[in-house]
Amino acid sequence: MPIDHATLSVSNQRAQNITILGATGSVGLNTLDVISRHPERYSVFALSGMTQIGLLTKLCLLHRPQYAVVTHEQDARALQNTLLQFGTETLVLVAEAGLETIAAHPQVDTVVSAIVGAAGLKPTLAAVNAGKKILLANKEALVMSGALFMQAVRRSAAILLPIDSEHNAIFQCLHDGHARTLADAGVRRIVLTASGGPFRSTPLNAMNDITPDQACAHPTWPMGRKISVDSATMMNKGLELIEACWLFDATPDQVEVVIHPQSVIHSLVDYVDGSMLAQLGNPDMRTPISHALAWPERIDSGVKPLDLCDVARLDFEPPDENRFPCLALARQVAQWGGTAPATLNAANEVAVEAFLSRRIGFTQIAQVIGDVLDQMPVTAANDLETVLAADAKARSLSIRWLAERDK
Ligand code: NDP
Ligand code: MG
């Protein structure tokens, strides 16, 4: 995407108004931590949450945004009453329309897209269509609607900066950002690193005994429950492979996945001259968030510096797609394109939720997704309605899969 540095530095002269979609989550709270360190640079314009209304109330009292958005009418009324009692002027909006309003509001400079799952798609697209600077954590939105999403970015001249740590690392290693094609930039391939999750060495025959709490105990990154399960199944890396294809205009064959248990190298770019550039740092989301917030400048993130002697060694191994079939499914879907990624994503969301509520075992997550993909024809995804229809159909087939299994 073409980037106008002159415009960026002019707009840096006043505090940037930030909307955080998903402020009560792991990425949202990390973003607020960074913003709080730089009050002269950033001002919180709007925050959203869904179930954690107590936390959202505290965040509103602390940051005094102009808007807050919640999903349910009843929560909106209660939050508005509480905020009025404390004398704040925050206006509470509700549901998807509210999210789209705070994403596209003319006073907003930057939107942090940190809602989890398909629920983030429409508000993120609203920010894209309004030409905002978007810090993208919500990979599911891009996975579902990749071609449409990137077309909208180009049309509106929005600035799309990845804060998923791997993609942020790649962005940093591609010295011209997205300005050129990979071939023009002399890139041979992109290497996505993966921690391998908590079950990197667990034998296949022990995997169905895995509990939700074990799956959510990630060895290197503290995250929300859905992405933690995705990391444990390696679907997260599969979604990230698709995400990388769209962000960097790469084919699936140009994206390699390597297990790196220390999570110190966040990803790499391999150039045709034999150079390999990597971005290193402690595993802390405040680094990619700070990088994207301040880009093209650099600001303090609060992350402690990396002590290489403390790290001492960096290990690498190939992923085992036999024990982690979700990665193979995602790679297949990346090749198919069209509506297939939306189908994969929706089936995964339903299956992960079923695993977290102990309806299915860990290894059945991949079975649900594989069976739903088998039942869904892949069509071109030329408009949002088609993508949303594939999402809805995949969800209903997944729910049917669960119901039949419960019989
Ligand atoms: P969390 O579960 O911690 O937070 C999700 C946020 O979205 C919360 O604010 C939650 O509100 C809100 N939310 C959840 N469902 C809905 C919905 N249906 N409608 C509106 N809002 C909703 O997730 P994470 O912060 O871990 O992840 C957010 C996104 O960032 C995901 O797409 C993930 O893949 C991506 N990401 C996360 C990383 C991390 O380190 N956590 C790293 C890289 C990417 P509430 O909590 O109030 O219910
Ligand atoms: Mg990641």
Side-chain angles (χ1 to χ4, degrees):
M1 72 204 60
I3 285 153
D4 181 350
H5 291 249
T7 314
L8 284 172
S9 53
V10 169
S11 61
N12 276 348
Q13 288 166 5
R14 63 166 172 79
Q16 301 285 290
N17 281 330
I18 316 275
T19 282
I20 305 178
L21 303 170
T24 48
S26 166
V27 172
L29 293 173
N30 274 307
T31 306
L32 285 168
D33 181 281
V34 175
I35 286 177
S36 305
R37 292 166 192 272
H38 304 279
E40 72 300 345
R41 277 182 171 259
Y42 307 113
S43 165
V44 175
F45 183 81
L47 299 174
S48 88
M50 186 168 87
T51 57
Q52 300 189 75
I53 305 303
L55 176 56
L56 186 60
T57 308
K58 281 190 199 146
L59 297 176
C60 287
L61 294 176
L62 189 64
H63 297 282
R64 308 257 161 172
Q66 296 200 22
Y67 294 96
V69 180
V70 294
T71 305
H72 303 292
E73 196 73 57
Q74 207 179 332
D75 292 330
R77 274 197 297 274
L79 177 60
Q80 187 70 80
N81 285 338
T82 313
L83 294 177
L84 281 172
Q85 280 164 21
F86 280 95
T88 76
E89 291 183 359
T90 303
L91 188 63
V92 181
L93 306 178
V94 71
E96 201 163 74
L99 292 173
E100 290 184 26
T101 300
I102 61 169
H105 196 287
Q107 281 173 258
V108 170
D109 300 292
T110 298
V111 175
V112 180
S113 168
I115 289 175
V116 60
L121 175 60
K122 283 197 184 169
T124 307
L125 279 179
V128 170
N129 289 327
K132 302 299 183 193
K133 174 174 163 182
I134 295 135
L135 273 52
L136 185 72
N138 177 218
K139 63 194 87 183
E140 295 93 341
L142 187 57
V143 166
M144 289 172 74
S145 69
L148 293 168
F149 192 110
M150 296 310 290
Q151 274 163 23
V153 168
R154 284 189 289 272
R155 205 171 39 233
S156 68
I159 295 173
L160 182 62
L161 297 172
I163 55 173
D164 206 349
S165 58
E166 296 77 2
H167 306 75
N168 183 269
I170 295 161
F171 182 82
Q172 294 195 46
C173 296
L174 290 170
H175 47 95
D176 286 337
H178 305 200
R180 295 189 286 167
T181 66
L182 289 184
D184 287 346
V187 173
R188 184 161 34 206
R189 67 193 165 130
I190 284 168
V191 183
L192 287 179
T193 53
S195 70
F199 313 121
R200 182 170 60 86
S201 320
T202 306
L204 187 55
N205 61 12
M207 280 191 161
N208 222 32
D209 299 330
I210 288 167
T211 65
D213 284 346
Q214 287 170 330
C216 289
H218 195 277
T220 49
W221 293 96
M223 303 178 286
R225 283 172 81 78
K226 190 264 180 182
I227 184 177
S228 295
V229 176
D230 285 349
S231 297
T233 61
M234 291 203 69
M235 178 56 91
N236 184 49
K237 214 47 55 180
L239 297 176
E240 290 182 354
L241 187 156
I242 301 170
E243 182 185 11
C245 290
W246 290 116
L247 285 172
F248 305 112
D249 201 13
T251 62
D253 292 341
Q254 287 175 300
V255 185
E256 188 183 326
V257 173
V258 169
I259 305 285
H260 164 49
Q262 291 90 355
S263 298
V264 165
I265 295 185
H266 299 305
S267 277
L268 311 92
V269 176
D270 179 24
Y271 286 91
V272 289
D273 62 2
S275 301
M276 215 180 215
L277 300 192
Q279 186 257 352
L280 285 74
N282 281 311
D284 188 320
M285 282 301 287
R286 291 176 300 172
T287 295
I289 291 167
S290 302
H291 170 266
L293 270 176
W295 185 86
E297 296 170 31
R298 297 267 179 178
I299 55 169
D300 174 37
S301 63
V303 176
K304 79 174 183 351
L306 185 65
D307 182 334
L308 286 173
C309 295
D310 213 23
V311 174
R313 55 183 277 181
L314 301 173
D315 295 311
F316 304 95
E317 64 195 43
D320 178 353
E321 292 188 359
N322 189 35
R323 284 185 305 127
F324 297 101
C326 285
L327 184 55
L329 287 170
R331 192 176 280 285
Q332 176 66 76
V333 154
Q335 301 279 4
W336 286 338
T339 52
T343 300
L344 171 102
N345 179 67
N348 181 55
E349 286 191 28
V350 175
V352 169
E353 189 53 48
F355 167 71
L356 284 171
S357 55
R358 295 176 179 269
R359 279 185 75 186
I360 59 171
F362 186 76
T363 52
Q364 286 175 314
I365 295 174
Q367 287 172 19
V368 176
I369 301 163
D371 286 353
V372 170
L373 282 169
D374 285 346
Q375 292 173 63
M376 293 265 299
V378 180
T379 62
N382 293 331
D383 51 64
L384 195 57
E385 291 66 39
T386 308
V387 169
L388 295 175
D391 174 89
K393 180 87 197 294
R395 279 172 204 274
S396 75
L397 287 175
S398 307
I399 290 165
R400 196 161 80 196
W401 192 103
L402 297 172
E404 277 171 12
R405 190 196 143 278
D406 285 347
K407 273 184 195 160

